[in-house]
């Protein structure tokens, strides 16, 4: 594969972990090719996973920002255009139309384009939600808006008890907020955990003072109050939705790139246009969308090698995710989507090991809680690779 067009260089859309890790890995291999990062946010370097355990550590958006956009630009010898939003991709002209902070538009040419656009919070639609601001926290700006004005000890209505919802519940309860969680699933992390571990997590969160309404949905939202589908009334000061993310595909789709759940890429992270690549939460590899940090790091390393002249196929071993619920630490390595099998659970109380096992006894995924979490690296080596 040819090295990128040196004049127009590499343009990366997005300054999240995907965009910045790629730029960092690229610079380890090539100091000269111009790199421009265009980003709709402030361009601060930060660790997004910290957003769901920052309250208990007393961190605000400013202290979560590890570096400013200007600092990253100097360190990596790149250009960072913060608060610039790409609004259109013209693949024939190899140009982006970009909205500048003053509202004006400009065109930016690329030799190679990398989409590291992340994902949008799934919209929460319920009767009355136009009367209440339902927050979601997916970047530093969101976090600042969420923290701002949240009075100490306030009542938080948390919608969703998945991975991120459970982490927020633990974090906010640990920081002294009165947290009420609503989720239609019968236990937290309903799609990732077998019942035994889910119920232990529910108990651990309840032990922190979290009120759980599981197997329930919100029927009506109104300022300061919600009514559940069983008629239960919940009073709250602020509402936070954590019901999942949708890969940002619209820019790519409007430009005619192949998209499915995410922007479809091959093992070289190349989209249906050979000059356009994608990684991170917006991308869909052969292993599906993988909205976690470890897959993104592997993608960034492989793509940096490819873009600097060494075509490198993406390989992904099984990658467990640590759940940041100190009330009950957990590690999860989900089975591949659609895998046939059943959970086999051993251990007792908080310390449990669940193996997702096929009829012939092959383990395809696992979930660990409490002291069993120590086994996660060893177990991960026994699991099938996500991409060999
Ligand atoms: C609260 C929370 C906790 C998490 N905890 C964990 C964890 O413990 N472990 C784990 O593995 N994963 C965790 N994740 C997931 C992980 O953080 C993400 O997979 C990862 O950070 C995604 O990085 P990204 O660069 O793909 O996307 P993002 O960080 O979302 O970056 C997208 C970038 O694209 C920019 N952008 C979007 N549209 C445009 C546009 N049109 N023009 C220009 N720029 C644009 C945005 O401004 C942003 O800079 C967590 C996620 C959340 C929300």
């Amino acid at each position: 594969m040819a090295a990128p067009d040196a004049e127009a260089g590499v343009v990366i859309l997005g300054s999240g972990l995907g965009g910045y890790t790629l730029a960092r890995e690229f610079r380890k291999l090539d100091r000269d090719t111009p790199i421009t990062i265009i980003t709709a946010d402030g361009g601060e370097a930060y660790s997004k996973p910290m957003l769901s355990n920052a309250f208990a550590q007393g961190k605000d958006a400013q202290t979560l920002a590890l570096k400013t956009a200007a600092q990253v630009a100097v360190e990596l010898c790149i250009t960072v255009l913060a608060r610039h939003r790409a609004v259109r991709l013209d693949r024939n002209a190899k140009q982006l139309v970009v909205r500048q902070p003053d509202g004006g538009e400009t065109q930016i040419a690329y030799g190679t384009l990398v989409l590291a656009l992340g994902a949008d919070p799934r919209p929460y639609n319920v009767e009355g939600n136009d009367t209440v601001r339902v927050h979601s926290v997916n970047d530093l700006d969101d976090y600042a808006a969420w923290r701002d004005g949240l009075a100490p000890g306030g009542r938080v209505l948390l919608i969703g008890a998945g991975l991120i919802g459970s982490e927020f519940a633990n974090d906010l309860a640990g920081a002294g907020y009165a947290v009420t969680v609503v989720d239609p699933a019968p236990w937290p992390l309903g799609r990732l955990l077998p019942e035994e571990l889910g119920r232990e997590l529910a108990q651990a969160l309840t032990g922190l003072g979290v009120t759980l309404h599981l197997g329930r949905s919100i029927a009506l939202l109104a300022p300061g109050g919600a009514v559940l589908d069983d008629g239960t009334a919940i009073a709250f000061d602020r509402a936070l939705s954590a019901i999942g993310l949708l890969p940002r595909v619209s820019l790519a789709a409007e430009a005619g790139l192949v998209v499915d759940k995410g922007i479809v890429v091959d093992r070289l992270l190349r989209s249906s246009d050979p000059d356009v690549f994608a990684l991170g939460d917006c991308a869909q590899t052969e292993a599906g969308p993988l909205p976690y940090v470890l897959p993104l790091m592997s993608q960034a390393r492989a793509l940096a090698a490819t873009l600097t002249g060494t075509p490198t196929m993406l390989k992904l071993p099984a990658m467990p995710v640590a759940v940041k619920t100190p009330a009950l630490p957990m590690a999860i390595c989900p089975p591949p989507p659609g895998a046939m099998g059943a959970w086999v659970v051993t251990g007792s109380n908080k310390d449990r090991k669940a193996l997702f096992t096929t009829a012939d006894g092959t383990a395809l995924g696992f979930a660990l809680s409490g002291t069993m979490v120590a086994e996660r690296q060893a177990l991960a080596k026994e699991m099938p690779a996500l991409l060999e």
Side-chain angles (χ1 to χ4, degrees), residues 13-19 38-41 46 48-49 51-52 84-86 116-119 137-138 164 167-168 245 248 279-282 291-294 296 321-322 324:
L13 283 188
S15 62
L17 286 169
I38 299 168
T39 182
D41 60 31
Y46 75 106
K48 188 184 285 210
L51 294 176
S52 51
H84 282 62
R85 177 175 290 278
L117 293 162
V137 175
N138 185 38
I164 290 172
E167 292 184 352
F168 277 124
L245 296 169
R248 291 190 177 116
L279 84 163
D281 281 8
C282 69
Y292 303 110
V293 174
L294 287 181
L296 174 160
V321 178
K324 301 185 297 292

Side-chain angles (χ1 to χ4, degrees), residues 58-277:
K59 295 202 179 220
D60 62 17
Q62 263 182 328
T63 45
L64 283 175
L66 304 170
K67 285 174 192 158
T68 63
Q71 286 169 325
V72 180
V74 170
E75 183 190 330
L76 296 180
C77 194
I78 62 177
T79 302
V80 181
L81 300 176
R83 306 279 173 210
H84 282 62
R85 177 175 290 278
V87 290
R88 209 171 63 250
L89 163 58
D90 179 345
R91 294 195 290 121
N92 290 329
K94 293 184 76 172
Q95 273 188 349
L96 289 156
V97 178
V98 174
R99 186 167 308 130
Q100 297 162 306
D102 63 6
E105 285 188 354
T106 186
Q107 266 131 31
I108 295 178
Y110 63 85
T112 300
L113 177 65
V114 180
L115 305 174
L117 293 162
D120 278 317
R122 192 180 284 274
Y124 181 64
N125 293 316
V126 70
E127 194 184 336
N129 67 350
D130 51 339
T131 65
V132 176
R133 174 157 186 199
V134 179
H135 289 255
S136 53
V137 175
N138 185 38
D139 60 28
L140 280 183
D141 291 343
D142 292 343
Y143 184 70
W146 168 241
R147 258 191 95 98
D148 185 31
L150 186 58
R155 297 163 302 175
V156 172
L157 171 64
L158 187 42
I159 303 158
L163 191 82
I164 290 172
S166 295
E167 292 184 352
F168 277 124
N170 196 142
D171 192 42
L172 290 162
Y177 294 90
V179 181
T180 301
V181 181
V182 180
D183 194 301
W187 55 83
L189 276 70
R191 273 181 297 176
L192 295 171
L193 291 180
E195 179 168 2
E196 295 88 333
L197 278 80
R199 300 238 180 256
E200 288 298 336
L201 180 58
Q203 217 177 335
L205 291 174
T206 307
L208 275 183
V210 175
T211 304
L212 294 173
H213 292 277
L214 298 169
R216 298 264 71 92
S217 301
I218 295 174
L220 178 69
L221 264 184
V227 180
L228 303 189
D229 52 3
D230 63 352
T232 305
I234 297 169
F236 65 89
D237 301 310
R238 286 204 153 198
L240 178 64
S241 167
I243 57 167
L245 296 169
L246 297 170
R248 291 190 177 116
V249 297
S250 58
L251 188 84
E254 283 159 19
L257 295 175
V258 175
V259 304
D260 180 31
K261 289 189 185 117
I263 301 164
V264 174
V265 292
D266 64 14
R267 293 287 286 271
L268 293 172
L269 282 317
R270 191 173 43 189
S271 74
S272 51
D273 178 331
D275 294 321
V276 182
F277 296 75

